[in-house]
Amino acid sequence: MVILLIYIVIFVASFFLVRLAVDQTANGFVARKTVTFGDESAVTSNRFASVISILTIFLLWGAFTGSSLLPSFMHAPGPFEGVAQMTYTAEADDGSRDDATISVLVHPVGEDAKAPQVDPGEGWAKNDAFTIGAWRSGLLRVDQNDEKDRDIGHRVVAVNGQEIVPGGEVLTEFGRVGMSPKGTLNFEPAKGWQMEPIWLPPPEAVVARLGEISSQGYRDSTLWEHLGYSLFRVVVGFALGALVGIPLGYAMGLSGWFRGWFDPIVEFMRPVPPLALIPLVIIWAGIGEVGKIILLFLAALWIMAIAARSGVSGVNITKVHAAYSLGASKAQIMRHVIVPNSLPEIFTGARVAMGVCWGTVVAAELVAAEKGAGMMIMVASKFQLTDIVLMGIILIGVIGFGIDMVMRKAERVLVPWKGRS
């Protein structure tokens, strides 16, 4: 919630700062008097917003992971590390009470640490020392070295002068001290706002892992082999889906019989997530490459069919009538009217289908894959290697974004009439 609020504040502040710093008259609606409000073709991406958006994401990522790429004053409050000291009050069965000190060394996770040396003190309740990793919690068995233990009624009744009962807690400057139902103290050091590396590693850890896997590989394959296999599966599955889906969509858009026959099938399969088809694909095609490509083919098929059908249905009927009045045959109308006017919808569907295929490749590579970005992510997740998981996700996103940019460029070149009547 804190991260979301900070993100919203940065968004709003950036919007107003850019508007004040950059002259908007050249790009405003006043300069486009012939353009009606809501015309999508008249709205272009604001480059300042794009740059600030990306920088904001990396800034928040670094701030909430304690990244060394950012100065320390930009870091969100981190977990407590150091020696936490508190006192406890113990009571024996005869009603006598005694105070002792607890020293807890909170150390970075993964490092070996020894409990600090403490003087046991002179009372029957002795001073204690423990070690706990940051972001962790641990039991404080303070009665183990006391002269009066639980067997003769020893129990802790207060921490730092505040009464505590089984199931209760006391908040200190170092963290939370709770008491179990059996009367054992439990210390949870303050976690701050930063994320633990096992949940979200800092950017430099992901970059370091990228360099390591690029040079040494992962599970007997180089990083480029993993990405190449994923790309090959996606491209082949998408191509087959388009090869079947586009003609099917044209047939559904041009023939009432084809539409009536295939529309229930397409509309039924469209909302079914590809992940739900994995068991059937394994039964039908096994666990080899064929099964993975079939899954990606099915992910693209229905989207391309609907896009082609929508493109045909959206052709302006006046253009068809005009072509007929000029003596055009059905083949000429198909070639010169229907296909050109349906291509914008098909390209839009192709971009959506490619995105779905990239999202499905992770599920496809769950089926006994030996290579692939999805396999790399899933194997790494089993060993809680979050840096590899993030690296794989970022690479898939970058490649997917690159493919989308290529498809947008191809659309501008091949369909320059998009958005024009």
Side-chain angles (χ1 to χ4, degrees), residues 13-31:
S14 301
F15 175 77
F16 286 105
L17 287 174
V18 170
R19 285 182 65 89
L20 290 174
V22 180
D23 183 14
Q24 297 291 318
T25 57
N27 298 319
F29 287 108
V30 176

Side-chain angles (χ1 to χ4, degrees), residues 103-268:
S103 299
V104 183
L105 174 61
V106 183
H107 58 86
V109 176
E111 293 185 4
D112 294 330
K114 295 182 179 180
Q117 297 292 328
V118 296
D119 182 8
E122 299 180 355
W124 58 264
K126 303 300 182 181
N127 299 330
D128 300 272
F130 304 91
T131 62
I132 295 176
W135 286 293
R136 301 292 186 266
S137 62
L139 296 177
L140 307 179
R141 295 297 304 272
V142 296
D143 62 306
Q144 287 185 332
N145 63 342
D146 291 349
E147 294 178 359
K148 299 181 180 181
D149 56 21
R150 293 186 184 183
D151 295 336
I152 55 175
H154 172 288
R155 63 190 182 95
V156 177
V157 295
V159 172
N160 284 353
Q162 301 180 49
E163 292 188 3
I164 189 169
V165 296
E169 64 177 20
V170 170
L171 300 179
T172 72
E173 60 178 312
F174 307 109
R176 169 187 171 276
V177 180
M179 178 176 283
S180 70
K182 294 185 177 180
T184 302
L185 294 181
N186 179 76
F187 180 55
E188 183 178 349
K191 297 180 179 180
W193 290 358
Q194 291 185 17
M195 299 288 288
E196 186 179 355
I198 195 173
W199 306 120
L200 183 65
E204 62 269 22
V206 178
V207 173
R209 183 67 78 170
L210 174 61
E212 175 187 334
I213 295 181
S214 297
S215 59
Q216 302 178 13
Y218 186 71
R219 293 183 67 85
D220 302 325
S221 297
T222 66
L223 175 63
W224 314 118
E225 286 178 328
H226 286 299
L227 297 177
Y229 268 82
S230 294
L231 185 61
F232 169 77
R233 291 162 181 153
V234 168
V235 170
V236 172
F238 167 78
L240 292 175
L243 191 64
V244 176
I246 293 176
L248 177 61
Y250 274 126
M252 293 171 63
L254 295 170
S255 169
W257 176 262
F258 274 90
R259 184 157 187 167
W261 188 276
F262 289 105
D263 204 50
I265 300 173
V266 172
E267 293 298 338
F268 174 80

Side-chain angles (χ1 to χ4, degrees), residues 252-370:
M252 293 171 63
L254 295 170
S255 169
W257 176 262
F258 274 90
R259 184 157 187 167
W261 188 276
F262 289 105
D263 204 50
I265 300 173
V266 172
E267 293 298 338
F268 174 80
M269 292 300 300
R270 179 183 58 83
V272 176
L275 190 63
L277 301 175
I278 288 181
L280 275 179
V281 171
I282 294 176
I283 294 172
W284 291 344
I287 60 175
E289 289 296 321
V290 175
K292 300 174 182 60
I293 291 176
I294 287 177
L295 189 63
L296 295 170
F297 160 75
L298 293 174
L301 173 62
W302 317 118
I303 298 174
M304 295 307 300
I306 292 173
R309 184 193 69 188
S310 177
V312 173
S313 302
V315 174
N316 193 333
I317 192 63
T318 58
K319 295 181 179 181
V320 178
H321 290 164
Y324 271 126
S325 67
L326 293 173
S329 64
K330 288 186 177 180
Q332 289 173 324
I333 291 174
M334 184 71 181
R335 177 182 176 185
H336 297 288
V337 179
I338 293 178
V339 171
N341 284 275
S342 63
L343 281 178
E345 288 282 353
I346 292 175
F347 267 96
T348 300
R351 288 168 53 193
V352 173
M354 181 59 77
V356 172
C357 285
W358 266 113
T360 306
V361 73
V362 176
E365 290 171 350
L366 286 174
V367 186
E370 295 182 357

Side-chain angles (χ1 to χ4, degrees), residues 401-412:
F401 180 75
I403 292 175
D404 188 72
M405 290 296 100
V406 171
M407 296 181 72
R408 289 186 187 183
K409 180 65 175 178
E411 183 180 24
R412 287 194 293 268

